Amino acid sequence: MPQNLQDTTTLHNGVKMPWFGLGVFKVQEGSEVVESVKAALRNGYKSIDTAAVYRNEEGVGQGIKEAGVPREKLFITTKVWNSDQGYESTLQAFETSMEKLGLEYLDLYLIHWPVAGKYKETWKALEKLYKDGKVRAIGVSNFHVHHLKDLMADAEIKPMVNQVEYHPHLAQTELLEFCKAEGIQMEAWSPLKQGELLSEPTIVEIAEKHKKSTAQVILRWDLQNEVITIPKSVKEHRIIENADIFDFELSADDMDRLNSLNKNERVGPDPDNFDF
Ligand SMILES: NC(=O)c1ccc[n+]([C@@H]2O[C@H](COP(=O)([O-])OP(=O)(O)OC[C@H]3O[C@@H](n4cnc5c(N)ncnc54)[C@H](OP(=O)(O)O)[C@@H]3O)[C@@H](O)[C@H]2O)c1
């Protein structure tokens, strides 16, 4: 179990990735994203998750620069958007993201969604970027087991990470087991179900018992299930609260109760049925 906010998991290529990070989906370009990145880094976060489609990579880069944390201490993720998928277009999209971020190298580059007929070519571009030393790890997002199997059938390099929607209403047990067996690190997006899970009665009860918030219980559940988590907040007190989860432990009974909340319910689209 990670003991603090800086603790890392080792990806299958040996690169160390923090168990905990800040997400910046729907955080506005400009001062909002600059300030939330700075607040996170000021409070010990090392990992930031953005994407080309969030249109805030410049602000993420500015926040990193202004925070003054040495580059090698940070772990920065961005993602190639669906309309840029394909070999050459992905290489170009990567350069655009890097210019916006103002970084010399990236820590993790992800295929944002499994665009049918495109993701294998996109993966070849990620393999090239990895082999060229421009990115330290490569992975996918929103891939079901069948997408992963299909990708791996032709891939030279196995994805190191699969970032998917994951929270107590969407426990993804089959996918998690598959990823663990394959050495692919799972990472949770919308871990708080975008706030919808914060008043769930069972979680409230467990939180009261531990004198923690419901957000903290959910994020601790991620880590105890060996899933990286990247909650988003633009409020410094919540950025601090969300990361304050290393001083308590959910019991086996708490974990069973949280696991039993699963109802395969998503806040985002199903990767088998998206139209963007
Ligand atoms: N790969 C993908 O397709 C994909 C899709 C979606 C998201 N993501 C990534 O995953 C990250 C997290 O997911 P998300 O942003 O969708 O949702 P989330 O982290 O589940 O929830 C964020 C929401 O919860 C609120 N919140 C955060 N901490 C709280 C706390 N302690 N108490 C009460 N409310 C709290 C935030 O509001 P305030 O900001 O006002 O605090 C915001 O409205 C994203 O930012 C993004 O980096 C990836």
Side-chain angles (χ1 to χ4, degrees):
M1 261 310 289
Q3 301 298 316
N4 58 57
L5 182 50
Q6 287 80 40
D7 267 358
T8 52
T9 178
T10 303
L11 304 178
H12 74 64
N13 65 338
V15 163
K16 293 185 187 314
M17 175 170 181
W19 282 105
F20 202 94
L22 179 78
V24 297
F25 179 40
K26 293 189 183 160
V27 181
Q28 275 184 11
E29 180 60 298
S31 62
E32 189 174 61
V33 76
V34 172
E35 291 311 317
S36 52
V37 167
K38 282 165 73 180
L41 298 182
R42 178 158 71 232
N43 288 291
Y45 286 57
K46 299 287 182 247
S47 172
I48 308 288
D49 181 87
T50 185
V53 76
Y54 302 168
R55 303 200 182 283
N56 57 19
E57 289 170 311
E58 270 182 50
V60 168
Q62 190 184 330
I64 290 169
K65 212 170 285 163
E66 289 181 15
V69 179
R71 173 67 184 93
E72 66 277 10
K73 301 258 188 245
L74 300 175
F75 193 97
I76 310 301
T77 302
T78 193
K79 315 180 189 92
V80 54
W81 184 239
N82 300 352
S83 53
D84 286 324
Q85 286 203 37
Y87 186 79
E88 291 297 339
S89 45
T90 295
L91 295 178
Q92 183 53 53
F94 178 82
E95 293 308 324
T96 305
S97 283
M98 295 305 283
E99 261 168 51
K100 288 188 171 163
L101 287 162
L103 298 176
E104 297 289 317
Y105 67 89
L106 189 68
D107 296 284
L108 178 64
Y109 200 37
L110 301 178
I111 298 183
H112 209 145
W113 288 85
V115 175
K118 290 265 183 84
Y119 62 71
K120 289 194 182 187
E121 283 305 301
T122 307
W123 188 249
K124 286 202 179 100
L126 266 60
E127 289 178 327
K128 167 149 179 64
L129 294 166
Y130 177 71
K131 285 190 235 165
D132 288 350
K134 295 185 171 179
V135 50
R136 297 172 67 231
I138 50 176
V140 294
S141 179
N142 300 302
F143 274 48
H144 282 317
V145 170
H146 72 87
H147 295 119
L148 288 169
K149 283 184 175 166
D150 183 45
L151 183 76
M152 289 189 308
D154 294 318
E156 234 181 280
I157 301 167
K158 198 191 274 194
M160 285 124 205
V161 171
N162 185 20
Q163 182 187 111
V164 295
E165 182 177 347
Y166 179 82
H167 45 67
H169 280 170
L170 184 68
Q172 307 247 40
T173 45
E174 189 203 346
L175 179 63
L176 181 55
E177 266 172 41
F178 180 84
C179 286
K180 282 184 182 173
E182 291 289 338
I184 300 169
Q185 176 62 53
M186 215 156 95
E187 180 176 21
W189 65 252
S190 295
L192 307 175
K193 207 182 176 193
Q194 298 186 345
E196 281 181 34
L197 270 171
L198 298 173
S199 50
E200 208 292 328
T202 303
I203 308 179
V204 170
E205 211 182 295
I206 294 171
E208 281 170 358
K209 187 178 80 178
H210 289 282
K211 299 193 168 47
K212 288 295 205 177
S213 70
T214 48
Q216 290 169 328
V217 166
I218 296 167
L219 299 167
R220 179 79 198 185
W221 174 81
D222 292 341
L223 299 189
Q224 290 190 211
N225 281 328
E226 298 172 38
V227 176
I228 289 174
T229 194
I230 46 167
K232 169 260 177 188
S233 180
V234 294
K235 302 186 172 65
E236 185 161 11
H237 70 278
R238 288 179 174 170
I239 288 174
I240 295 168
E241 173 193 327
N242 290 344
D244 182 15
I245 56 170
F246 299 97
D247 61 350
F248 77 112
E249 188 171 350
L250 297 167
S251 66
D253 180 54
D254 296 333
M255 290 298 285
D256 286 345
R257 291 180 70 199
L258 292 163
N259 291 334
S260 73
L261 296 175
N262 180 43
K263 41 185 182 173
N264 299 325
E265 193 173 277
R266 296 173 183 275
V267 73
D270 187 323
D272 273 335
N273 186 23
F274 63 98
D275 59 359
F276 47 86

